[in-house]
Amino acid sequence: MSGSRFYITAAIDYANGAPHIGHAIEKIGIDAMARYRRLCGQAVHFVLGMDEHGLKVQQSAEAAGISPQQWVDEIATRFEAAWRRLAIGFDDFIRTTQPRHERAVAEMVRRMAAAGDFYRGSYEGYYCVGCEAFKREDELVRNERDELRCPVHPGREVTWTHEENWFFRLSSYQDRLLRLFDEQPDFLQPEGRANEIRRVIEGGLEDISVSRARLPWGIPWPGDPEHTVYVWIDALTNYLAAAGFPDGDHERLWPADYHVIGKDITRFHCVYWPAMLMSAGLPLPRHVWAHGFINFGGAKLSKSEGVRFELEELIERHGPEALRYYLLREIPWNGDGEWSLERFDERYVSELANNLGNLANRTISMIERYRGGVVPGRRQEIKDQQIAAAVLRYRGVMDANLLHQGIAAAMELASYANGFVEARAPWAQAKDPARAAELDDPLAALARVVATLATLLQPFMPVKMAELGAQLSLPDPVPLDALTGLDLAGRPGARGPVLFPRPEQEKKPTK
RNA sequence: GGCUGGGUAGCUCAGCUGGUGAGAGCGCACGACUCAUAAUCGUGAGGUCGAGGGUUCAAGUCCCUCCCCAGCUACCA
């Protein structure tokens, strides 16, 4: 494992609005996965980006009175700024309007064509003349006269229209896809999702249309400039493009170790995408991880609610890292979870301020007070078993990408340490000259716990944990393997600003 | 309609192939302590485990029916 490459991707976000909490939790989770792998010594390459073609982008740009390119440039800037604000440590930011991506898409189309997997077919559907585009029925509304209309152009007629375009022989990949799920049961995780997709495949696959004739904001179809590449081949190919495809050195990164996506798009990543790659003769990603969603008041967080929770407001509430912590603590990474401001506040105070922050503070304070700000050496391996057990548990669940359980394992160690302080009562030992010498052991043990916590929680709160480590003169970050024999004796220990200050009492949830 | 996952203490949730008197964290109450961010530690608080029926010596834990909630139901990314 150690030293090996680890290519992990986020789903690229559609450039049609501002980044919100739903976008954020995905990037935060992937960042935690990436940082954990780095702590394990792997050479991580983490890519995220934007999906910038398509009708909606074109329309949004028109509505704003700017060109599509200007529009996506602005959106991309906002997303990237949000990710930096949240300390997302991505290595690359790919955009589907970049030349490197267009090149990759063109090559994908050429390869799939060479495989004989495209044919001219007829796509039909509702067509809005105003939009000059096909619409799904659920995108349309009915007017007073019960006529179907596009919400953007209620005055224009919507007609059932045929269009000749390119089709991909997805149906011919059914057997190969089933074999994929047979031979690689962990291709799609968590497990339950794989069963869902398997049933979809077993139910039979239809060919999909992969080009559009009248949608100008897209990548031209190689050899048929009347068409643009439709979303599937365009968007999904970003993972290859970011690896450098079609240049030879893309094999340095590809295949990806993990595509992390929302559970709603597993079909595209676990049916369309593998089939496309098979067609193009390329290796498949090793794993796809489908995370869940945020619920609010028992229901999926809708877009309007997502916007209601203005990302910047949430960040300012307790700081960016507290938001990272709360989201990954509360929402299981392998499922859905309930979100609320009240819980955010509760967890911030009880877990970050009281349990973790106070433990760090009291520990280093005692080192300052009783040992002149120098971590003492230990005479025996006090508490090493508990630390080792916590690290082991942590690694076990983190290897399985159960981020919420990783946090839980760390916080249990913090709780344990707080109990340990009470049990040893260092202040009593300090007052008793006969016992003062014994003080080294608990103080050294506590320092090791704090150092361990700074590492275990680093994937979740990289900046705060670096600050914490610095209070014990530790490098940032301490790799997991270095934790075992870590000797802190002689290191200066000095308190810094309170890591997670308690909010003022009057700060009530703005529900 | 079909499919999937749920309905367990005020809140968020654990409870694998059925079996010690039903759990954790938070919140709450009381007590202890003082190194610390009025933090921490201990104790307690008694929830018909959605409803009804069934299988079994024994069922949140299996079967049936019903009620309720959420999500999905393929060219929207």
Side-chain angles (χ1 to χ4, degrees), chain A residues 449-509:
Chain A
V449 169
V450 172
T452 301
L453 289 170
T455 289
L456 300 190
L457 292 170
Q458 191 271 350
F460 306 100
M461 299 180 286
V463 177
K464 289 289 185 184
M465 292 304 99
E467 284 178 29
L468 177 55
Q471 294 185 21
L472 287 170
S473 316
L474 287 167
D476 171 46
V478 177
L480 276 167
D481 286 334
L483 234 36
T484 311
L486 188 65
D487 188 5
L488 296 169
R491 287 178 191 269
R495 278 190 289 180
V498 167
L499 282 175
F500 304 103
R502 292 171 62 88
E504 318 78 88
Q505 297 294 59
E506 66 268 29
K507 195 166 190 175
K508 286 272 166 61

Side-chain angles (χ1 to χ4, degrees), chain A residues 142-213:
Chain A
R142 290 194 178 271
N143 64 13
E144 322 76 67
R145 277 178 287 178
D146 204 35
E147 296 163 328
L148 276 176
R149 285 292 184 267
C150 152
V152 186
H153 303 94
R156 310 290 285 272
E157 208 174 326
V158 170
T159 54
W160 188 259
T161 307
H162 297 258
E163 174 182 294
E164 182 158 304
N165 54 30
W166 292 101
F167 273 72
F168 170 49
R169 297 184 197 281
L170 179 65
S171 59
S172 70
Y173 284 88
Q174 178 171 5
D175 292 344
R176 271 170 283 186
L177 288 169
L178 284 175
R179 210 178 312 141
L180 164 66
F181 280 84
D182 283 338
E183 293 169 359
Q184 236 178 291
D186 61 347
F187 174 69
L188 170 57
Q189 301 168 309
E191 197 182 342
R193 299 264 164 258
N195 297 331
E196 286 177 15
I197 291 297
R198 174 188 289 278
R199 243 169 280 127
V200 167
I201 301 170
E202 285 168 349
L205 300 172
E206 288 175 22
D207 294 344
I208 52 173
S209 69
V210 290
S211 76
R212 284 292 180 274

Side-chain angles (χ1 to χ4, degrees), chain A residues 25 27-40 46 86-89 320-321 323-325 328 394-395 398 403-404 406-407 410 451-466 476-480 483:
Chain A
I25 187 174
K27 306 308 175 292
I28 293 167
I30 301 169
D31 188 51
M33 288 173 72
R35 288 180 189 276
Y36 169 70
R37 302 288 167 168
R38 289 197 188 99
L39 285 181
C40 291
F46 168 20
L86 285 165
I88 309 298
E321 307 231 324
L323 180 61
R324 289 174 59 112
Y325 175 89
L328 296 184
Y394 171 88
R395 295 188 77 145
M398 291 295 282
L403 305 178
H404 55 296
I407 292 181
T452 301
L453 289 170
T455 289
L456 300 190
L457 292 170
Q458 191 271 350
F460 306 100
M461 299 180 286
V463 177
K464 289 289 185 184
M465 292 304 99
D476 171 46
V478 177
L480 276 167
L483 234 36

